[in-house]
Amino acid sequence: MPQLLRVQNFSISQDGVGAGENQTFERPFGDRVEPWELMSWAGATAGWPNRTDPGGTRGLDDYFTRDFAHNIGAEIMGRNKFGYQRGPWTDHEWQGWWGDEPPFHTPVFVLTHHVRPSFTLSDTTFHFLDATPAEAAQQAKAAADGKDVRVGGGVSTVREFLDAGLLDTLHIAVAPVTIGAGLTLWESPEELEDRYHHETVPSSSGVTHHLFWRD
Amino acid sequence: MPQLLRVQNFSISQDGVGAGENQTFERPFGDRVEPWELMSWAGATAGWPNRTDPGGTRGLDDYFTRDFAHNIGAEIMGRNKFGYQRGPWTDHEWQGWWGDEPPFHTPVFVLTHHVRPSFTLSDTTFHFLDATPAEAAQQAKAAADGKDVRVGGGVSTVREFLDAGLLDTLHIAVAPVTIGAGLTLWESPEELEDRYHHETVPSSSGVTHHLFWRD
């Protein structure tokens, strides 16, 4: 099986917003966007990787969250998913939003113009790359031990990989909320239909799951 | 996490038929039922465990087939899923329908009143149990190394575990075909709503996926 570059469980609003402007430590999704507005569908499921209590739903949404780590050997993320700082690193103590047990359990490649040394938290190692999407894809695939590579976001990073024609499949969850302004993945999902098959699956949570793949 | 007893990817017709009467070697699904009528949705997906050629769809159906082995540590099946013979074993050469590389990759417990010695094909070991559903569930969970147990069918076996209140979740795929007579799982899926949450998800393949779970 060829190694795929996949977007999974990436949540946006009905108007295509994945994050707001002006990200800060207090507002990791930026202006206007509360994380739970976009992500509560995932947190409600039994399979949510960050779940600490038992229970959770077992419906359609759960099939998507359970698939999060399936056959994934590495993640690529943008610097703004990794943290809220911009420019040269002034706080090397910052090791991401996820505490001592990040939910990735694979190598993670953070794209940034300001590289810094790799570090490991539990079974996740973060590497910092100043590279094009194609170069990052190549390096992540080499580290993924034959498995697929997740492109984890944020929205600008997904767009860069999309524009470079590198993504093999996307699962985009459109939450039943309208934000009004921010960083958008698309104006309409139909924009991708020149390049991908597109299946739309409504869930009882109110989320619509959009699946894209190519031959 | 507690160990669950799960039905997955179990395919029936719109009138609830999972298999026909009079199973033979030539007709593993019995009278009236061609296997591909119920199962073609699964075989078309990229994630289908028995797939030998590259390609396949990556849409909703694929999420279900990819989940087939996820966190499964054992399978329980009825004797009529294992083979077409009835009564005492006259042909011990029969080792199931699946050839030298069965798609289970775990211990498999075959329920039968006629036990025979265990045997191993590749990484699948078949055990034969004369036991109640509850006893079989207990034994399979002990063998599953902390993972869940799949109840793999056939339709009579699923019914027995359902009637015994042992199933924690079910994923039933209703294919867009009517058979007319045979072994039925239900007259209507609403029959299970006194005991389970029920979510219905239509797929572009024409299959409707029914998901059942309880708190």
Side-chain angles (χ1 to χ4, degrees):
Chain A
M1 295 285 286
Q3 286 179 279
L4 304 181
L5 223 61
R6 295 163 49 189
V7 170
Q8 291 178 291
N9 293 353
F10 193 76
S11 297
I12 63 175
S13 67
Q14 292 198 303
D15 49 346
V17 175
E21 305 278 358
N22 302 314
Q23 182 190 42
T24 63
F25 176 71
E26 291 77 16
R27 296 196 62 82
F29 280 66
D31 290 344
R32 295 167 177 258
V33 182
E34 304 294 344
W36 57 86
E37 288 182 297
L38 300 181
M39 295 300 295
S40 62
W41 71 271
T45 64
W48 177 234
N50 300 338
R51 172 169 287 279
T52 51
D53 52 328
T57 65
R58 293 267 174 192
L60 174 68
D61 293 340
D62 189 48
Y63 272 81
F64 290 106
T65 59
R66 265 153 58 185
D67 200 54
F68 181 71
H70 187 197
N71 199 41
I72 294 290
E75 163 149 338
I76 297 169
M77 65 171 67
R79 178 173 176 176
N80 298 358
K81 175 171 173 179
F82 176 75
Y84 63 95
Q85 300 174 311
R86 301 291 184 272
W89 296 98
T90 54
D91 177 10
H92 275 75
E93 296 295 299
W94 179 261
Q95 296 192 312
W97 303 96
W98 302 280
D100 293 338
E101 294 279 350
F104 306 106
H105 312 295
T106 65
V108 171
F109 295 87
V110 181
L111 289 175
T112 171
H113 296 304
H114 303 276
V115 296
R116 51 180 265 192
S118 302
F119 64 88
T120 300
L121 291 172
S122 183
D123 54 357
T124 298
T125 297
F126 292 89
H127 303 284
F128 298 83
L129 290 184
D130 185 6
T132 66
E135 290 164 353
Q138 190 174 24
Q139 196 155 339
K141 282 185 177 178
D145 196 25
K147 297 181 178 176
D148 295 340
V149 173
R150 183 194 307 112
V151 174
V155 64
S156 305
T157 300
V158 174
R159 276 237 62 103
E160 283 169 23
F161 279 79
L162 202 50
D163 293 345
L166 290 166
L167 295 178
D168 295 297
T169 68
L170 299 91
H171 162 228
I172 307 293
V174 176
V177 61
T178 301
I179 303 293
L183 304 172
T184 58
L185 180 63
W186 56 42
E187 287 189 34
S188 156
E190 282 72 36
E191 292 167 20
L192 306 190
E193 291 183 355
D194 57 339
R195 286 162 285 168
Y196 293 99
H197 304 286
H198 178 203
E199 187 175 1
T200 305
V201 193
S203 163
S204 58
S205 62
V207 165
T208 300
H209 298 279
H210 290 259
L211 303 169
F212 301 90
W213 71 100
R214 54 189 183 186
D215 294 323
Chain B
M1 294 286 287
Q3 285 178 278
L4 304 181
L5 224 59
R6 293 164 50 188
V7 171
Q8 291 178 292
N9 292 354
F10 193 75
S11 296
I12 63 175
S13 68
Q14 292 199 305
D15 49 345
V17 175
E21 306 277 0
N22 303 313
Q23 182 191 41
T24 63
F25 176 71
E26 291 77 17
R27 295 196 63 81
F29 280 66
D31 291 343
R32 294 168 178 259
V33 182
E34 305 295 345
W36 58 86
E37 289 183 298
L38 301 180
M39 295 301 293
S40 62
W41 71 270
T45 64
W48 176 236
N50 300 337
R51 171 169 288 278
T52 50
D53 53 326
T57 65
R58 295 267 172 192
L60 175 67
D61 294 340
D62 188 49
Y63 272 81
F64 290 106
T65 59
R66 261 149 64 180
D67 201 54
F68 181 72
H70 188 196
N71 200 41
I72 294 289
E75 162 149 340
I76 297 170
M77 65 171 67
R79 178 174 175 175
N80 299 359
K81 175 171 173 178
F82 176 74
Y84 63 96
Q85 299 175 312
R86 301 291 184 270
W89 297 97
T90 54
D91 177 11
H92 274 76
E93 297 295 301
W94 179 260
Q95 296 192 312
W97 304 96
W98 303 280
D100 293 340
E101 295 279 350
F104 306 107
H105 312 296
T106 66
V108 172
F109 295 87
V110 181
L111 289 174
T112 172
H113 297 305
H114 303 276
V115 295
R116 52 180 264 192
S118 302
F119 64 87
T120 299
L121 291 172
S122 182
D123 55 356
T124 298
T125 298
F126 291 89
H127 304 283
F128 298 82
L129 290 184
D130 185 7
T132 65
E135 290 163 352
Q138 191 175 22
Q139 197 156 336
K141 282 184 177 177
D145 195 24
K147 297 181 178 177
D148 295 340
V149 173
R150 183 194 308 113
V151 174
V155 63
S156 306
T157 300
V158 174
R159 276 237 63 103
E160 282 168 26
F161 279 79
L162 203 49
D163 293 345
L166 290 166
L167 295 178
D168 295 296
T169 68
L170 298 91
H171 161 227
I172 308 293
V174 176
V177 60
T178 302
I179 303 292
L183 305 172
T184 58
L185 180 62
W186 56 44
E187 287 189 31
S188 156
E190 283 72 36
E191 292 167 20
L192 306 190
E193 292 183 355
D194 58 339
R195 287 162 283 169
Y196 293 98
H197 304 286
H198 178 203
E199 187 175 1
T200 304
V201 193
S203 163
S204 58
S205 62
V207 165
T208 300
H209 297 280
H210 290 261
L211 302 170
F212 302 90
W213 72 99
R214 54 189 184 186
D215 295 323

